[in-house]
């Protein structure tokens, strides 16, 4: 799924939102995740997964065409670790429904009635 397909799907599923609003929402979410990663922060979306930036040390590489040694500088690379619910859904596991708020306990028949 591409970004434009995601926007179209969300706009269709939420007819009360205009297409430009959905585009702005999706762009804002991606921008915030990108900004957090560039600051070195971790972004965790419960049930979906966690984004982080892993550091790679500087190393000596090889130019595949000439075989010459090349210095490769250290850098940070984005990393995604899927959450448990996402892994289960992708692997065909049971789809868990979102948790609902607990109902207050109803009085028991043995409890005395209020006066």
């Amino acid at each position: 799924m591409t970004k434009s397909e995601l926007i179209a799907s969300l706009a269709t599923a939420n007819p009360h939102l205009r297409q430009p609003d959905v585009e702005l929402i999706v762009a804002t979410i991606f921008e915030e995740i990108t900004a957090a990663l560039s600051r070195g922060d971790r972004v965790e979306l419960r049930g979906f997964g966690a984004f982080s930036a892993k550091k790679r040390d500087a190393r000596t590489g090889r130019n595949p065409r000439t075989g010459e040694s090349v210095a490769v500088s250290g850098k940070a690379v984005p990393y995604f670790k899927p959450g448990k619910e996402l892994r289960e859904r992708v692997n065909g596991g049971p789809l868990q429904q979102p948790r609902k708020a607990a109902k207050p306990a109803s009085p028991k028949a043995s409890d005395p009635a209020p006066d």
Side-chain angles (χ1 to χ4, degrees):
M1 176 178 280
T2 64
K3 184 177 176 181
S4 60
E5 290 171 340
L6 173 65
I7 291 168
S9 176
L10 290 171
T12 302
N14 297 284
H16 60 283
L17 296 174
R18 297 178 320 124
Q19 176 94 13
D21 294 336
V22 174
E23 290 175 9
L24 179 63
I25 291 167
V26 170
T28 302
I29 290 170
F30 289 160
E31 287 171 13
E32 288 299 317
I33 291 172
T34 302
L37 292 175
S38 67
R39 290 189 307 266
D41 294 341
R42 183 174 186 263
V43 178
E44 183 175 336
L45 304 172
R46 295 281 174 168
F48 183 72
F51 297 91
S52 61
K54 293 208 173 200
K55 295 191 191 298
R56 289 199 179 162
D57 295 331
R59 62 184 175 84
T60 302
R62 295 239 178 246
N63 181 332
R65 185 174 290 176
T66 63
E68 178 182 340
S69 293
V70 178
V72 179
S73 60
K75 58 186 165 188
V77 293
Y79 175 75
F80 176 73
K81 180 179 180 185
K84 180 180 176 184
E85 289 178 33
L86 177 61
R87 282 192 314 267
E88 287 175 353
R89 288 183 67 176
V90 168
N91 291 315
L95 176 61
Q96 295 181 355
Q97 296 297 323
R99 295 182 184 151
K100 295 182 181 178
K103 292 183 181 179
S106 59
K108 296 179 183 177
S110 61
D111 289 344
D115 293 324

